Amino acid sequence: MNTPTPQITQAHDTTRHPVALITGASSGIGRALAAQFAADGHHVVLAARRVDALQALADELQARHGVPATVIGADLETEDGARALHAEVQRRGLTLNALVNNAGYGTFGEFGASALEPELKMMQVNMASVVVLSKLFLPDLTVTRGRILNTASTAAFQPGPYMAVYYATKAFVLSFSEALAEELQGSGVTVTALCPGPTASGFQDKADMQASALVKGKKLPTSEEVAAAGYKALQRGQRVYIPGVMNWLMAQSVRFTPRRVVTALVRMLSRPVTA
């Protein structure tokens, strides 16, 4: 597949600030994470397909925090999108201190009735790009003794009827993150899997799941709240962080409940609600 040439803008001196790359930075948790890094003095490298939204965010963060902001248009749905993003960061002479693999989305509906192509693209973004970017940036992060933050989900802890592929991708991210964290123990590089529950982030709109019982009529935590807590967990070097007491309890309860019961419960909680 062909990937569009990344678009870049950059401002300010880049030598005085640690560098953080955030994928999926144009909205939701990614946007909020970018704000956390900028507030902490990082040069933020903002990557997503929506360059106009990224540029508006870059201008805002530069004005508010006086940090450099680089905008890169990147399409991680394509097979070479992650490689192209890495190459562009390298071309700009930027060495990462932090990698945030946040880009991702879900699809909602019965697996047998859903289209294949969107699910394959989702797997590319949610899983393959995480692996490629982690692999390619790891040499730099080893030198800088940097940090990796992978956005997983409470969906990672159990199967998810009506979102079968999405839940499976997040289980992959969690497993990959924990294994990589163990491999890198003692290297100075930390890996954190951020596992939020349903969040008011625009995710539900993209997944077309407004009718799901999981979110319909619910008051959800904001992207800013999740990002602030996740950033603190990253700074602590915590391997797995689940924001919210109820989310944490639900994730732990899965360990002691028969998996068939868990799957049936998730099906009930996630079912489409028509009224």
Side-chain angles (χ1 to χ4, degrees):
M1 297 183 185
N2 294 325
T3 301
T5 302
Q7 302 178 44
I8 304 111
T9 61
Q10 189 171 322
H12 296 292
D13 173 33
T14 63
T15 60
R16 297 181 293 106
H17 303 269
V19 179
L21 169 63
I22 303 100
T23 68
S26 60
S27 63
I29 294 173
R31 179 186 175 91
L33 282 168
Q36 290 289 322
F37 277 94
D40 203 21
H42 285 75
H43 170 184
V44 288
V45 182
L46 310 173
R49 288 186 297 179
R50 296 171 53 204
V51 176
D52 55 345
L54 291 180
Q55 188 57 61
L57 176 60
D59 294 343
E60 175 187 332
L61 296 179
Q62 288 172 178
R64 180 178 300 176
H65 302 293
V67 296
T70 298
V71 170
I72 303 181
D75 187 355
L76 299 180
E77 285 187 351
T78 65
E79 291 182 3
D80 59 346
R83 291 179 183 272
L85 174 56
H86 171 262
E88 193 57 54
V89 172
Q90 296 290 99
R91 190 184 74 80
R92 301 298 295 185
L94 299 172
T95 301
L96 296 192
N97 300 85
L99 168 64
V100 181
N101 286 307
N102 171 77
Y105 61 89
T107 57
F108 178 73
E110 292 186 4
F111 177 76
S114 61
L116 176 60
E117 199 61 30
E119 290 171 335
L120 293 175
K121 290 181 178 180
M122 178 178 62
M123 292 167 67
Q124 184 71 36
V125 176
N126 292 12
M127 296 189 296
S129 71
V130 173
V131 173
V132 172
L133 292 175
S134 298
K135 176 80 77 173
L136 296 181
F137 281 114
L138 187 55
D140 286 353
L141 293 167
T142 301
V143 171
T144 62
R145 298 175 70 84
R147 301 180 186 278
I148 298 173
L149 177 65
N150 294 328
T151 301
S153 169
T154 52
F157 295 94
Q158 67 279 307
Y162 301 114
M163 298 187 76
V165 178
Y166 171 75
Y167 273 57
T169 66
K170 291 307 180 180
F172 175 92
V173 172
L174 176 60
S175 177
F176 171 71
S177 299
E178 290 188 276
L180 185 57
E182 182 64 27
E183 286 188 18
L184 294 174
Q185 186 173 351
S187 71
V189 180
T190 64
V191 182
T192 299
L194 173 60
C195 301
T199 304
S201 64
F203 173 90
Q204 291 80 22
D205 292 336
K206 185 171 180 60
D208 195 24
M209 61 177 296
Q210 301 92 333
S212 169
L214 194 62
V215 299
K216 188 172 183 178
K218 304 286 196 309
K219 179 175 172 52
L220 305 178
T222 66
S223 298
E224 290 73 21
E225 290 168 339
V226 169
Y231 186 76
K232 290 177 182 177
L234 175 69
Q235 295 304 108
R236 294 193 298 268
Q238 188 168 341
R239 290 191 181 185
V240 179
Y241 179 69
I242 306 169
V245 174
M246 288 305 299
N247 287 332
W248 185 87
L249 289 172
M250 288 293 291
Q252 300 310 311
S253 69
V254 171
R255 300 165 56 193
F256 309 105
T257 307
R259 292 186 66 80
R260 185 163 181 173
V261 173
V262 169
T263 307
L265 178 61
V266 174
R267 179 181 182 179
M268 181 186 71
L269 293 174
S270 302
R271 72 194 186 283
V273 177
T274 57

